[in-house]
Amino acid sequence: MDPIQGTVLISGAGSGMGQLAARRFAARGLKVAALDVNAEGLAETAKAGETISTWVCDVTDREAVNRTVAEVEAQLGPIGTLYNAAAIMPLGKLAEQDTATITRIMDINYGGTVNVAKAVLPGMLERRSGCFVNFASMAGWMPILLSGAYNASKFAVVAFSEVLYHENRDSGIRFACVCPPVVATPLLDQGRETAWPKMLDAGPAAIEPAAVLDAIEDCLHAGKFWVFPTRDARTGWRMRRWFPNMIWKYVHKTEGW
Ligand SMILES: NC(=O)c1ccc[n+]([C@@H]2O[C@H](COP(=O)([O-])OP(=O)(O)OC[C@H]3O[C@@H](n4cnc5c(N)ncnc54)[C@H](O)[C@@H]3O)[C@@H](O)[C@H]2O)c1
């Protein structure tokens, strides 16, 4: 049986992987609640199917998130699947990036993940079922130069997701934490427009969003929590774990400073 059931709520559904996930689920006839702060992106997403409903919602606004989740469940029925994907990625050297940007990255990428998670979780716990997917990143394991604020936000998502999973491992909910390497989506433009680490071009080319979505579904089916969509991502995770100094040497050599 397909574990992806009920209404699917996707944050960050106006672009990239969230948008593609909305399209794919709508093509399967599932009801999709697409949330994003970007109304234009949502309008584009909604063109993909009649079963997609959209909500303009800033995930950092806890009240708005709670209100939206309540509206979604009232209009579309219980949320059976969550893809918690909203994020931003301005990059830069920590000493030069302004403090407001550093904290905003944490507010959206981590705080937003928490707000959506906390709004959706009680219903799933009560029903003892659901698929609960948080989007972290390889950046949640592997810190590199120029990415400190983004790294910190994704390390936080990794820790939150891991503890949430273990605290609720007998709840009947399937949890997954997604740790993709570089993926070809508009998110990368934010990095290119600010500061682009050479490291992000040093490894394998950006993978396609569909590969990440396939890997998530494979893991949900298999009941696996960690989603590393490529073999290289898993190797990178191991390398960071066992040889952090070697990785840092490589990072400095690649960046040239
Ligand atoms: N693209 C990559 O290389 C990559 C790699 C690893 C992990 N990820 C993660 O995957 C997830 C999806 O990323 P993507 O690449 O599809 O990015 P994307 O930029 O294409 O989409 C992210 C969406 O989040 C929305 N968003 C931003 N701030 C928001 C807010 N405050 N409230 C509501 N929505 C907001 C944006 O408007 C955008 O539509 C993110 O969590 C990202 O960090 C991406």
Side-chain angles (χ1 to χ4, degrees), residues 21-126:
R23 289 182 175 147
R24 284 168 53 140
F25 291 137
R28 279 148 61 174
L30 289 162
K31 282 187 266 182
V32 176
L35 271 60
D36 206 292
V37 78
N38 175 359
E40 278 175 27
L42 283 178
E44 201 52 45
T45 306
K47 286 184 192 161
E50 283 171 8
T51 60
I52 301 177
S53 309
T54 61
W55 274 266
V56 175
C57 176
D58 183 336
V59 294
T60 64
D61 182 343
R62 194 176 311 143
E63 292 304 314
V65 169
N66 289 339
R67 207 171 42 242
T68 302
V69 167
E71 275 178 32
V72 167
E73 297 213 302
Q75 291 179 28
L76 305 181
I79 295 164
T81 301
L82 168 67
Y83 275 36
N84 209 353
I88 58 170
M89 195 182 78
L91 300 176
K93 204 170 171 179
L94 287 170
E96 288 159 11
Q97 209 170 25
D98 70 274
T99 310
T101 303
I102 292 173
T103 56
R104 182 155 172 73
I105 293 167
M106 188 58 94
D107 287 347
I108 294 175
N109 298 6
Y110 174 63
T113 297
V114 173
N115 287 339
V116 175
K118 291 283 288 172
V120 171
L121 188 65
M124 287 191 181
L125 287 174
E126 205 180 303

Side-chain angles (χ1 to χ4, degrees), residues 15-17 36-37 57-59 85 87 136-137 150 154 180-181 183 185 187:
S15 173
M17 288 182 266
D36 206 292
V37 78
C57 176
D58 183 336
V59 294
S137 172
Y150 184 73
K154 292 298 182 177
V183 187
T185 73
L187 188 81

Side-chain angles (χ1 to χ4, degrees), residues 3-9 73 77-82 124 127 129-132:
I4 296 173
Q5 303 275 340
T7 299
V8 182
L9 185 139
E73 297 213 302
I79 295 164
T81 301
L82 168 67
M124 287 191 181
R127 292 185 292 278
S129 72
C131 288
F132 193 109

